[in-house]
Amino acid sequence: MPDTALPYANLTPSLILDAVEACGFQASGALLALNSYENRVYQVGLDDGSFLVTKIYRPGRWSDAAILEEHAFAQELAELEIPVVAPLPLAEGGTLLHYADYRLALYPRRGGRPPELEDPEHLRWLGRMLGRIHACGSQRLFRQRPRLNTELLGTGPYHYLMEHGFIPPELEHNYRQAAEQLLGEIESVWREVAGWVDPIRLHGDCHPGNILWTGQGPHFVDLDDCMIGPAIQDLWMLLSGDRADMTRQLGLLLEGYSQFYDFNALELRLIEALRGLRLIHYSGWLARRWHDPAFPMHFPWFNTPRYWEEQLNTLREQIERLEQPPLEP
């Protein structure tokens, strides 16, 4: 595998086009990089005038078995006519190609725009689709994919930040104090509901950027973070605004969701805990990837004193949010 300090150093346009042709497609030479940082994703033109999307997996992140389990979940959903963009079968069979020390998958190109989360019908529709995804996801668990927990998304990233000197010395004490208080309260909430939540297979990263809307409704992309966890993980990132806004949005989502899958209202207690984990995980993710040249280029504001001052304030605000009663749709 390539040196993970420069994971895509050997990834050239000609290599990408050669890999697509090794999959049995005739590339025209047209290549467009799409917004993706964890992996590399390109739109590739074909000789017949059509396009497909090539995803090159970050070296060393997932095992082949974990990637294939992601692919199998997407295909399972697609076979149920749930609008998830699943990988295409390749010329030699299967969905994962090894080429020049990289691993890649090909997808049909699907356009669209982000959903309008102020539109009640968009929210109901998203709820219906997520209910169907979770009804399928509840049938069995992943064997290779991770399980959502506080270590994976919280304490692990936090310790990485502290051990690798990312926090400015003048803020370190206050940041440590706020992060550890937040993580302690999240752990308390997690223990409180753990025995009452049945984990299922999830999309895992179901924010609006991973949903594309067309005249035929939504379709879901990028199951790269699919995992086992509570159903609310795929719902809470669609909530925004003040408490009244989120209450309204949640009610509309669950109106559609409950037509296909029963929602456990005890999971509402996890919304602010999951938000808190995502805050810490996001900083940890940027820190872990900072050696990749694409990250300083696209996230120049990260690891500046101002960034960490804002993060400190955000963590303190999140502690206050955790102390509020859960939403009641």
Side-chain angles (χ1 to χ4, degrees):
M1 300 291 283
D3 183 353
T4 54
L6 294 169
Y8 296 106
N10 301 320
L11 188 63
T12 63
S14 61
L15 187 152
I16 297 165
L17 296 174
D18 288 346
V20 169
E21 296 203 336
C23 295
F25 297 89
Q26 294 300 311
S28 69
L31 188 68
L32 175 66
L34 303 179
N35 288 337
S36 180
Y37 308 109
E38 185 62 15
N39 304 296
R40 296 294 187 266
V41 181
Y42 299 88
Q43 177 181 283
V44 179
L46 303 181
D47 278 349
D48 63 5
S50 65
F51 297 87
L52 52 76
V53 172
T54 303
K55 175 179 178 180
I56 295 95
Y57 283 89
R58 176 172 290 271
R61 183 172 184 232
W62 297 120
S63 67
D64 284 6
I67 294 173
L68 290 171
E69 198 166 47
E70 170 210 334
H71 291 182
F73 185 41
Q75 290 174 318
E76 184 181 351
L77 294 170
E79 287 169 3
L80 294 171
E81 299 184 347
I82 297 170
V84 169
V85 180
L88 297 168
L90 305 181
E92 74 281 4
T95 54
L96 182 64
L97 177 73
H98 290 74
Y99 193 88
D101 291 328
Y102 291 101
R103 295 172 297 172
L104 67 144
L106 302 181
Y107 294 81
R109 185 183 70 166
R110 295 286 185 267
R113 64 184 191 280
E116 297 175 11
L117 298 182
E118 295 304 312
D119 186 324
E121 186 50 35
H122 278 214
L123 289 167
R124 292 189 189 97
W125 204 331
L126 288 172
R128 290 194 294 272
M129 293 301 101
L130 286 169
R132 294 182 64 199
I133 290 172
H134 290 177
C136 175
S138 67
Q139 297 304 304
R140 58 183 172 276
L141 296 179
F142 290 129
R143 301 183 66 177
Q144 304 295 332
R145 307 295 302 184
R147 181 179 290 264
L148 193 161
N149 55 46
T150 55
E151 170 63 26
L152 177 71
L153 297 185
T155 54
Y158 164 69
H159 287 304
Y160 185 89
L161 291 169
M162 301 305 295
E163 291 166 6
H164 289 80
F166 278 90
I167 315 301
E170 66 273 19
L171 297 175
E172 184 175 332
H173 172 77
N174 288 340
Y175 183 88
R176 182 190 301 274
Q177 187 178 53
E180 292 186 356
Q181 182 180 350
L182 177 60
L183 287 168
E185 296 195 17
I186 290 171
E187 287 279 6
S188 178
V189 171
W190 211 264
R191 288 193 300 269
E192 176 187 328
V193 302
W196 303 96
V197 171
D198 293 322
I200 61 174
R201 291 179 295 171
L202 303 168
H203 182 290
D205 193 26
C206 195
H207 58 77
N210 280 335
I211 303 168
L212 297 176
W213 202 279
T214 69
Q216 289 72 49
H219 53 273
F220 296 79
V221 300
D222 194 6
L223 271 71
D224 194 62
D225 287 299
C226 64
M227 62 178 70
I228 301 168
I232 193 66
Q233 170 66 5
D234 280 350
L235 295 167
W236 78 264
M237 279 182 269
L238 301 176
L239 309 178
S240 61
D242 61 22
R243 187 178 179 87
D245 291 331
M246 291 191 292
T247 298
R248 180 187 60 81
Q249 294 158 359
L250 180 62
L252 291 165
L253 282 169
L254 292 180
E255 184 180 327
Y257 185 93
S258 300
Q259 295 178 32
F260 294 94
Y261 193 66
D262 290 334
F263 179 73
N264 179 358
L266 291 173
E267 293 191 16
L268 297 175
R269 185 76 175 93
L270 289 172
I271 290 177
E272 295 306 329
L274 290 166
R275 193 190 311 276
L277 289 176
R278 191 169 180 85
L279 290 171
I280 295 174
H281 177 264
Y282 185 68
S283 293
W285 173 65
L286 291 172
R288 289 180 187 274
R289 299 292 183 251
W290 204 235
H291 58 264
D292 182 336
F295 278 71
M297 180 187 305
H298 290 99
F299 304 96
W301 37 260
F302 174 69
N303 207 32
T304 62
R306 181 176 179 179
Y307 173 83
W308 291 113
E309 289 170 2
E310 291 173 348
Q311 285 300 297
L312 175 58
N313 290 332
T314 301
L315 295 186
R316 288 169 171 167
E317 291 170 0
Q318 191 58 30
I319 291 169
E320 296 178 4
R321 295 180 76 155
L322 264 170
E323 294 170 352
Q324 297 176 7
L327 296 178
E328 294 183 8

